[in-house]
Amino acid sequence: MQDQRKAPIVERIYDNLNRLNDQIVTRLLAKIDQIEEVLERVKSRTDKAQEAGLDVSGVREAIAVAEEAIEKARTSAETQTGEIYEITISDEANLRTDIKPVRDQLQSDLEALRQQVVLAREAVREAITALAQVRGIESLEISPSAGETE
């Protein structure tokens, strides 16, 4: 690059894009962990309801779907963690047009990952709804396990 003022700017943009990717993926992985914790509580309550003789087959199916959605989101997040967004400069006059596709790709990838997390959350919500609809669950005395106490 002939203009020495532009080189640090491009480096800073490169660093910012990759740091942003890491920050957002880390946040989404933490959200996936929270979603998984909620699903574990649903599984625990489902087990207790089954021990009490209640029909929880629909809940088990919803749990399986939720586990699959969580695993898919986690795999996508771990894949995204390894992504590095390289900026290839064709010439100095086209810096803006060279950087824009890289930035747009990062935005697109992160949005796809967010959608995976939303789908996982919705699948867990469906499992919770299925558990709430089990006849007799409201009269079942379920004491909180060690992980459920606050």
Side-chain angles (χ1 to χ4, degrees), residues 75-111:
T75 302
S76 296
E78 289 168 354
T79 301
Q80 184 64 30
T81 300
E83 288 290 324
I84 299 200
Y85 292 88
E86 294 289 336
I87 300 173
T88 306
I89 306 298
S90 60
D91 86 35
E92 218 171 302
N94 297 327
L95 283 177
R96 186 177 304 259
T97 56
D98 290 341
I99 292 172
K100 184 174 180 355
V102 176
R103 189 192 62 176
D104 291 346
Q105 182 63 46
L106 171 64
Q107 186 175 2
S108 164
D109 291 348
L110 291 175
E111 184 57 35

Side-chain angles (χ1 to χ4, degrees), residues 38-50 54-67 123-135 137:
V38 170
L39 184 62
E40 288 301 317
R41 291 196 303 264
V42 169
K43 288 197 295 192
S44 172
R45 290 183 64 92
T46 302
D47 291 342
K48 291 174 184 175
Q50 187 172 11
L54 300 176
D55 178 25
V56 292
S57 59
V59 180
R60 295 277 182 213
E61 291 171 13
I63 288 172
V65 169
E67 286 174 333
V124 170
R125 189 184 62 73
E126 291 292 328
I128 292 168
T129 302
L131 180 61
Q133 292 174 349
V134 170
R135 289 194 178 276
I137 192 81

Side-chain angles (χ1 to χ4, degrees), residues 9-39:
I9 293 171
V10 171
E11 288 177 24
R12 190 174 66 237
I13 291 170
Y14 168 82
D15 291 340
N16 285 344
L17 289 175
N18 289 296
R19 187 179 66 245
L20 181 65
N21 181 54
D22 290 342
Q23 288 173 342
I24 291 176
V25 170
T26 300
R27 200 172 322 133
L28 290 174
L29 279 168
K31 185 57 74 177
I32 292 169
D33 290 341
Q34 288 176 342
I35 292 168
E36 197 168 37
E37 288 172 12
V38 170
L39 184 62

